[in-house]
Amino acid sequence: VSSVKRLMGRDYADIVKTEAVAGELPYRIEPSAEGRMVQIDVAGRRLTPVEISADILRALKSRAEHALGREIARAVVTVPAYFDDAARTATKDAARLAGLEVLRLVNEPTAAALAYGLDKAAEGLYAIYDLGGGTFDVSILKLEKGVFQVLATGGDHKLGGDDFDNAIVSDVLAEARGARLGMAALKQAQALARDAKEWLSTHDDGAWEFEVGGRTIRYRLTRAHLEALIAPLIDRTIVTARGVLDDARMAAGEIKGVVLVGGSTRIPLVRRRVAEVFGKQPLADIDPDEVVALGAALQAEALTAGSDTLLLDVTPLSLGIETMGGLVEKVIPRNTPIPAARAQEFTTYQDGQSAMLIHVVQGEREMAPQNRSLARFELTGIPPMTAGAARIRVTFAVDADGLLMVDAEERTTGVRQAVEVKPSYGLTEDEMVRMLRESLEHGREDMETRLLTEARVEARRVLLALNAALRADGDLLSAAERAEIELVMTQVEHAIAGEDRDAINEAVEDLDKATQDFAGRRMDRGITAALRGVSVERLGQVIESDR
């Protein structure tokens, strides 16, 4: 399952309408039975993005417990700065399913700044450019007297490294014109695309082979062609970065440093374009894949040690309510520092009106249907008055996690109604209980399935690597030796087709033993090639320097 982060807190109609990538993902997206939440069809099972995210968090929790030798019950969880209320709520639901209490939801750019220790550095303005696999964020942070204040943030939750992969996939499949393309070919092309993208971050060109429609296709890609394929996507991030600078009312020259976050920032063209926009080379001292997690760990330490670093994040999108005619009245504008509370007074539209429907929306458009619907609730008990006489005070309060509470009060009577906004595509308590119960009831079965699948994946990986080695250095083997190895490879393939995990592991072990001599010969050939033409004197110097 890839790009699941893009689906968090979103309903089926919204995804089908806006996600071009939906048709390119290696799984089907379907509406849930209730029609509120999207579901993903994976190997015959229908799972929500919340359940899949919970599995990811559960695995991370297990790894942390193994490493630390103790139980983990609480965590700081990071989210893209541009995650709306629905996505944040879905993330907290996933953490609850994984057995974690969320100490704080921290925006990823802020966590990256923490990792670099910018709170301890000289005061100034910093830009955080975060281009991950599925989402893109850029934020401008002001650091003053140990306080982080996010001045502006922007991004695109439908743009990331996966889109770079899809651009390469389209180019790869163009090479397979006329062949029948099934799901297996698509998955193979996606794996090739990732390999090519990573290889070309440090090399000028490369060639890869893949099978489709019963024929082998050799795909060659240069860094220049890759950059031409992905340049329009990178340009979109640059437009967003310039827009965020405008929102913060800052010139690029005022930015003291630019922090890179996310694996996609390893791409040379990304780094060049970022340097061009901000007029300085970006910071990349910490592994961009790990910088956010490191910042989250530092924040968790601060929270549990009682020395909380003050983080002043902002609302990524405006929050408001629908008024008559479907118009939106914004109560909390976007880029408002949080935690925040804002109130506004409204009134009745008709004579004798005794109730008011409060429709909470999020977004920047002027009409309610064009924004995200977060919640609806009704304030009843309004005394019958002439239209416009009632005074209804609506208060929006956003907590440090970016989650919303809405309170409505009729001022003359004190009648009041409050709601913790639970987006309509979030999980109900019954759904949460059901998921928890099912995770317990099917725990052993799910684990056995997982272990069998892992064994199959590892066995296929070994076969692929061995086939590549035989193509490259098969001349090192006699006909009899090769036939013996191919016989054991066939036994591995038979084991993969079965349901016995132990049989698969044993077959892989047998294959490892059968190929040990071949591996040794390949190593000798590699060393010989590396030393060819090197003088004895030079070799001695190298050995001495290594000592």
Side-chain angles (χ1 to χ4, degrees):
V1 175
S2 60
S3 296
V4 74
K5 190 188 262 187
R6 297 184 179 185
L7 308 180
M8 293 293 281
R10 306 182 65 199
D11 66 2
Y12 180 74
D14 182 41
I15 291 167
V16 170
K17 181 172 63 177
T18 62
E19 285 287 315
V21 75
E24 301 171 2
L25 294 171
Y27 48 77
R28 285 190 299 276
I29 298 173
E30 301 172 352
S32 66
E34 298 86 357
R36 295 177 305 149
M37 247 176 127
V38 67
Q39 289 188 324
I40 297 169
D41 190 343
V42 184
R45 296 182 64 190
R46 289 164 63 95
L47 301 170
T48 67
V50 170
E51 290 173 289
I52 292 168
S53 295
D55 275 338
I56 294 169
L57 290 170
R58 199 176 285 118
L60 294 172
K61 177 177 182 289
S62 174
R63 292 181 190 182
E65 289 176 337
H66 178 74
L68 298 174
R70 62 189 230 182
E71 185 179 356
I72 302 296
R74 299 183 294 167
V76 167
V77 180
T78 62
V79 293
Y82 223 58
F83 254 23
D84 61 15
D85 199 79
R88 290 169 191 267
T89 300
T91 301
K92 292 196 84 168
D93 285 342
R96 287 173 58 198
L97 273 177
L100 288 170
E101 174 195 344
V102 178
L103 289 168
R104 178 78 57 84
L105 287 180
V106 176
N107 284 346
E108 291 168 1
T110 310
L114 280 170
Y116 270 94
L118 299 183
D119 56 324
K120 300 178 181 65
E123 297 177 355
L125 299 168
Y126 289 84
I128 314 295
Y129 179 97
D130 182 353
L131 185 59
T135 58
F136 167 68
D137 290 310
V138 61
S139 298
I140 306 298
L141 277 69
K142 182 180 182 181
L143 311 176
E144 188 174 20
K145 298 178 181 177
V147 176
F148 280 87
Q149 182 178 1
V150 181
L151 299 182
T153 189
D156 190 336
H157 67 278
K158 295 171 288 187
L159 177 62
D162 292 341
D163 297 285
F164 298 165
D165 294 345
N166 289 332
I168 302 170
V169 166
S170 297
D171 198 55
V172 170
L173 297 183
E175 298 282 335
R177 288 185 298 272
R180 294 184 60 186
L181 303 176
M183 190 65 76
L186 177 59
K187 289 182 178 179
Q188 190 179 6
Q190 286 177 320
L192 184 156
R194 284 192 294 273
D195 288 344
K197 178 182 67 177
E198 293 170 5
W199 174 263
L200 293 175
S201 289
T202 54
H203 299 79
D204 291 330
D205 57 24
W208 295 264
E209 290 183 353
F210 73 107
E211 293 185 5
V212 59
R215 60 191 176 101
T216 299
I217 294 174
R218 184 174 176 82
Y219 176 70
R220 185 174 184 81
L221 185 63
T222 65
R223 181 186 288 183
H225 186 45
L226 169 65
E227 292 183 347
L229 292 174
I230 65 176
L233 298 168
I234 296 174
D235 288 344
R236 283 169 55 187
T237 74
I238 299 305
V239 169
T240 300
R242 291 195 171 114
V244 171
L245 279 170
D246 290 341
D247 288 345
R249 296 180 175 84
M250 298 292 170
E254 297 178 72
I255 301 299
K256 185 175 181 179
V258 185
V259 175
L260 294 182
V261 181
S264 297
T265 60
R266 289 192 174 90
I267 296 173
L269 179 60
V270 170
R271 298 194 174 191
R272 292 202 306 272
R273 296 289 280 123
V274 171
E276 289 169 10
V277 170
F278 292 99
K280 53 183 60 66
Q281 288 300 317
L283 302 170
D285 304 333
I286 302 176
D287 185 336
D289 283 324
E290 298 177 0
V291 62
V292 169
L294 178 57
L298 291 169
Q299 177 65 9
E301 180 187 37
L303 288 171
T304 53
S307 56
D308 185 10
T309 302
L310 185 56
L311 305 176
L312 298 179
D313 273 323
V314 294
T315 55
L317 297 167
S318 299
L319 296 161
I321 69 170
E322 179 182 1
T323 58
M324 287 303 299
L327 292 169
V328 174
E329 183 67 25
K330 294 181 174 66
V331 179
I332 297 183
R334 75 188 189 94
N335 285 328
T336 297
I338 57 173
R342 298 276 179 90
Q344 199 161 325
E345 284 197 354
F346 298 87
T347 189
T348 51
Y349 180 74
Q350 295 178 334
D351 291 342
Q353 185 175 334
S354 60
M356 178 181 283
L357 177 66
I358 309 291
H359 180 203
V360 182
V361 297
Q362 185 171 36
E364 305 309 314
R365 305 289 293 276
E366 297 303 319
M367 304 300 293
Q370 297 169 336
N371 293 289
R372 295 292 305 280
S373 174
L374 294 183
R376 298 174 189 263
F377 68 98
E378 193 171 29
L379 177 66
T380 58
I382 300 173
M385 304 180 192
T386 57
R391 294 168 54 213
I392 294 112
R393 183 180 178 85
V394 178
T395 303
F396 280 39
V398 182
D399 67 15
D401 291 330
L403 300 178
L404 175 64
M405 173 78 74
V406 179
D407 178 285
E409 180 185 10
E410 204 290 306
R411 304 285 282 172
T412 59
T413 62
V415 173
R416 188 174 181 180
Q417 178 71 38
V419 61
E420 181 179 345
V421 173
K422 186 82 168 179
S424 57
Y425 354 95
L427 295 177
T428 65
E429 290 301 318
D430 288 344
E431 287 172 325
M432 183 70 73
V433 170
R434 175 186 60 78
M435 290 178 185
L436 287 168
R437 184 178 65 248
E438 288 178 353
S439 69
L440 293 173
E441 290 174 351
H442 301 289
R444 178 179 292 275
E445 173 188 330
D446 290 347
M447 181 54 68
E448 288 175 352
T449 301
R450 176 190 176 91
L451 291 172
L452 174 60
T453 303
E454 286 178 344
R456 284 172 172 162
V457 168
E458 175 61 17
R460 291 191 181 105
R461 185 196 66 77
V462 169
L463 289 175
L464 284 172
L466 183 52
N467 274 318
L470 289 171
R471 284 196 298 271
D473 297 309
D475 59 307
L476 294 173
L477 297 169
S478 66
E481 289 172 328
R482 181 159 187 151
E484 182 182 348
I485 289 175
E486 289 176 347
L487 176 63
V488 184
M489 290 173 70
T490 301
Q491 293 170 351
V492 173
E493 289 170 351
H494 285 317
I496 291 173
E499 301 293 325
D500 189 337
R501 175 169 58 92
D502 291 336
I504 296 172
N505 291 334
E506 288 172 7
V508 171
E509 288 180 11
D510 291 342
L511 185 59
D512 180 58
K513 293 174 184 175
T515 56
Q516 283 181 355
D517 286 345
F518 178 44
R521 293 176 201 173
R522 293 191 74 216
M523 185 177 294
D524 290 344
R525 172 177 279 183
I527 293 171
T528 301
L531 294 180
R532 186 174 291 119
V534 178
S535 67
V536 174
E537 292 78 7
R538 175 59 184 154
L539 183 59
Q541 292 172 0
V542 171
I543 294 172
E544 188 62 33
S545 66
D546 285 344
R547 287 174 179 168

